[in-house]
Amino acid sequence: MAHGHHHVDASAGDRRVGLAIAVNLGLTAAQVIGGIFAGSLALIADALHNFSDAIALIIAFGARRIARRPADAGMTFGYARAEVVAALVNYTTLAVLGLYLVYEAVLRVLDPSPVEGWLIVIIAGVALVVDLATAALTYAMSRTSVNIRAAFLHNLADAMGSLAVIVAGSLILLFGWTFVDPLVTLLIAGYILLQVGLETPKVIRILMLASPQDADTEAVRRDLAALDGVADVHNLRLWLVAEDQVALDAHLAIEPDRWGDADKVKADAKRSLAQRHGIRSTTLEIECARHVCHAPDAYGYD
């Protein structure tokens, strides 16, 4: 259960996100104006998605700064989960946006409108360059932050949307296939909803205090119970404080004739958790095996 840490310098990361926000807001304005003049729903859809990228980045930026605050009396676990909450907000807005685009595309299929292909291709081409640049600005941070990854996926989906709009504009220019415009809108919406479906459960797992997805919780408990001097392990809790922060607490029942070695057993347990499972944030309650509760639960609370 390895959890890598490839951190980007905080101030450098903030500058990247700030630049990405400014670029996305400028592009959104250009796409909306171009979409209106071209009569392209796909271009306006891409602009709305691009605007959601900017909002996602603003939310991510704010959450990123909040998450760095140290723990205090009111938030004893710290503020790291601000990023997880921000990710859930961003995925929720992506889902709403995807459903809205489906609705608009269906209306356009039922009531087709003329579309200016050249304007679509030009503006979508500029958008594609900006989308890829924005995605590049946030890629490194997205690998270690569920919050930034949500914003990154906004941008990646938008880049694919821009590429799809270019294809639609080209087909309209070459063959006059105006039906391609709402079809591309549906493809963009489908991709957005697919990403939401894949990523949202990961965020919910963190908020639900689930154990890491790659963790074998029973193996962790079994290894602790096998340590010399340990009679039983119960009330074990293994959870993600944030995406890359794993924590564990448990009750260790020490064999009655080894009570004098309790401190050593505890130290051995912590060392085993760190070396074998990569878990370094641990709280272990030591109990004498003679005095543990009757039939305690393996997991959870008393």
Side-chain angles (χ1 to χ4, degrees):
M1 184 171 52
H3 293 268
H5 297 264
H6 305 285
H7 295 293
V8 176
D9 175 68
S11 59
D14 288 348
R15 286 194 296 272
R16 290 185 190 182
V17 177
L19 179 58
I21 291 170
V23 169
N24 273 274
L25 288 175
L27 178 59
T28 298
Q31 283 183 304
V32 169
I33 295 170
I36 292 172
F37 279 103
S40 170
L41 175 62
L43 191 54
I44 294 175
D46 200 37
L48 287 174
H49 186 204
N50 203 74
F51 180 66
S52 78
D53 293 344
I55 298 301
L57 286 164
I58 291 170
I59 293 171
F61 181 81
R64 178 179 164 82
R65 294 182 69 87
I66 292 171
R68 293 201 294 266
R69 294 171 59 182
D72 54 37
M75 297 289 285
T76 55
F77 277 95
Y79 291 82
R81 286 206 175 175
E83 293 204 87
V84 184
V85 173
L88 184 61
V89 170
N90 278 332
Y91 285 131
T92 302
T93 59
L94 265 176
V96 172
L97 178 61
L99 293 173
Y100 173 73
L101 292 181
V102 170
Y103 169 76
E104 288 293 337
V106 171
L107 290 183
R108 180 59 68 92
V109 170
L110 298 175
D111 184 21
S113 301
V115 178
E116 293 293 335
W118 272 118
L119 195 53
I120 294 174
V121 172
I122 293 170
I123 295 177
V126 174
L128 177 60
V129 173
V130 174
D131 292 332
L132 291 175
T134 305
L137 285 169
T138 54
Y139 172 69
M141 291 179 286
S142 73
R143 290 181 293 172
T144 56
S145 169
V146 68
N147 171 38
I148 299 298
R149 184 157 62 253
F152 169 75
L153 285 174
H154 269 266
N155 283 112
L156 185 61
D158 206 37
M160 294 188 67
S162 296
L163 183 60
V165 168
I166 291 172
V167 173
S170 300
L171 291 174
I172 290 167
L173 280 171
L174 293 172
F175 306 107
W177 293 349
T178 55
F179 69 87
V180 174
D181 188 67
L183 176 61
V184 166
T185 303
L186 286 172
L187 291 175
I188 296 171
Y191 179 78
I192 292 171
L193 294 174
L194 174 64
Q195 292 302 315
V196 169
L198 291 173
E199 293 295 327
T200 303
K202 300 174 186 177
V203 175
I204 292 174
R205 281 184 61 84
I206 299 174
L207 292 175
M208 288 294 294
L209 299 175
S211 58
Q213 213 158 9
D214 61 344
D216 185 342
T217 308
E218 184 55 38
V220 172
R221 182 172 176 271
R222 189 167 55 245
D223 288 348
L224 285 174
L227 290 172
D228 184 38
V230 175
D232 181 50
V233 178
H234 54 270
N235 293 140
L236 185 145
R237 294 176 289 272
L238 176 64
W239 74 98
L240 285 163
V241 177
E243 185 177 24
D244 61 349
Q245 298 178 31
V246 183
L248 174 144
D249 61 43
H251 293 197
L252 297 186
I254 307 298
E255 294 173 358
D257 60 343
R258 298 293 301 278
W259 187 246
D261 297 327
D263 287 341
K264 180 181 181 302
V265 173
K266 182 177 180 179
D268 290 344
K270 285 179 173 287
R271 184 164 49 253
S272 174
L273 288 168
Q275 293 176 350
R276 302 189 65 173
H277 301 284
I279 303 171
R280 292 174 174 78
S281 178
T282 60
T283 303
L284 300 175
E285 182 172 334
I286 304 300
E287 303 172 341
C288 178
R290 285 200 184 96
H291 306 299
V292 297
C293 300
H294 175 67
D297 293 328
Y299 303 104
Y301 294 91
D302 292 323

